[in-house]
Amino acid sequence: MATRSRRPDRRQEPLSRERIVEAAVELLDSVGESGLTFRALADRLATGPGAIYWHIAGKAELLTAATDAVVAAAVRPAEPGGAPGDGVRTVALGLFDAVEEHPWLAAQLAAQLSRSPWGTVAPRIFESIGREVRALGVPEAGWFTATSALMHYILGSAGQNAANTASAAAPGAGMERAEFLDAVSTAWEGLDPDAYPFTRAVAEQVRGHDDREQFLDGIALVLAGIVALHPPVAQPAVTVVR
């Protein structure tokens, strides 16, 4: 006797925007933006596409919400009582690791920051970094420039690192990270010494370097420049009333 294939059991908890966004992040991580469809999302959530549309108007809104959710988890503040600059490093590494963990994130961040900087993503990142810049004692006149410099360095470096990782892991590349860096270093060493003397001189440093350490060294350089150009102002004393 013929039997009908059973549909996946619907989950008992009510569908919510949070569940939809969580499932969208999982789909983006596994199949990328091209695989994120409302049909695939409905299958994952064991519901109908119409139920998802009740919470999310379309794919653009879904991508924004997924990006914002990942960023919100990444930019948690540092523990209080740390050394000056620890807060900046904590936010920076959170974003760096998030871009590394979610291959789709770098492209979405670039799109969000260029197309809709008035949305939720850009202000969330800027606020997280800006609070740490303010905590350094940077005068208010330097807040925007200092925060912008850090934001561009963090996202640019994280995006380039993610692109390098994806390039090395692409089908047909057949390279581990060490092999990829060795190939770059070897190519630079073979450049014309008259046209590229500096690049040839640092080619060996490319081979085997640690991306996170290099990233944090860059943060240190930017922070040193910020403090040199915008010396911290003394914080007002707190009067304790007894």
Side-chain angles (χ1 to χ4, degrees):
M1 183 170 106
T3 58
R4 295 182 180 178
S5 59
R6 295 184 59 191
R7 292 174 57 85
D9 291 333
R10 294 179 182 270
R11 296 175 63 174
Q12 296 302 311
E13 63 269 27
L15 189 65
S16 65
R17 183 182 176 89
E18 290 72 22
R19 274 187 57 206
I20 294 169
V21 171
E22 180 183 354
V25 171
E26 292 171 357
L27 270 175
L28 285 164
D29 288 345
S30 59
V31 297
E33 182 181 342
S34 62
L36 179 63
T37 65
F38 273 57
R39 181 178 295 277
L41 194 57
D43 288 343
R44 179 172 288 264
L45 292 167
T47 188
I52 298 174
Y53 279 112
W54 180 262
H55 298 276
I56 303 285
K59 186 170 181 178
E61 182 182 341
L62 183 60
L63 285 168
T64 298
T67 303
D68 191 47
V70 172
V71 168
V75 296
R76 300 187 185 281
E79 293 295 327
D86 280 356
V88 171
R89 285 183 281 272
T90 297
V91 171
L93 272 179
L95 288 167
F96 184 88
D97 290 342
V99 172
E100 176 77 12
E101 182 181 352
H102 305 280
W104 53 273
L105 185 59
Q108 281 304 310
L109 286 174
Q112 294 292 329
L113 269 59
S114 62
R115 297 176 190 169
S116 56
W118 46 80
T120 56
V121 175
R124 187 184 297 281
I125 297 173
F126 201 80
E127 178 71 20
S128 300
I129 299 171
R131 288 184 183 184
E132 303 303 336
V133 167
R134 182 176 59 187
L136 288 172
V138 174
E140 186 173 352
W143 287 355
F144 177 74
T145 300
T147 303
S148 296
L150 279 164
M151 183 172 175
H152 289 306
Y153 171 76
I154 292 167
L155 297 183
S157 297
Q160 185 60 57
N161 180 68
N164 291 344
T165 300
S167 178
M175 288 186 181
E176 297 293 334
R177 178 182 180 278
E179 294 176 295
F180 177 79
L181 293 178
D182 184 69
V184 174
S185 183
T186 300
W188 285 13
E189 289 169 341
L191 292 170
D192 185 332
D194 294 324
Y196 302 98
F198 177 82
T199 304
R200 281 171 55 94
V202 301
E204 178 58 33
Q205 297 178 33
V206 175
R207 189 177 282 114
H209 75 273
D210 185 279
D211 292 325
R212 283 169 64 88
E213 289 182 5
Q214 183 189 41
F215 176 70
L216 287 175
D217 285 345
I219 292 291
L221 285 172
V222 179
L223 285 176
I226 289 171
V227 172
L229 289 173
H230 305 286
V233 295
Q235 298 297 317
V238 178
T239 302
V240 178
V241 179
R242 297 183 182 278

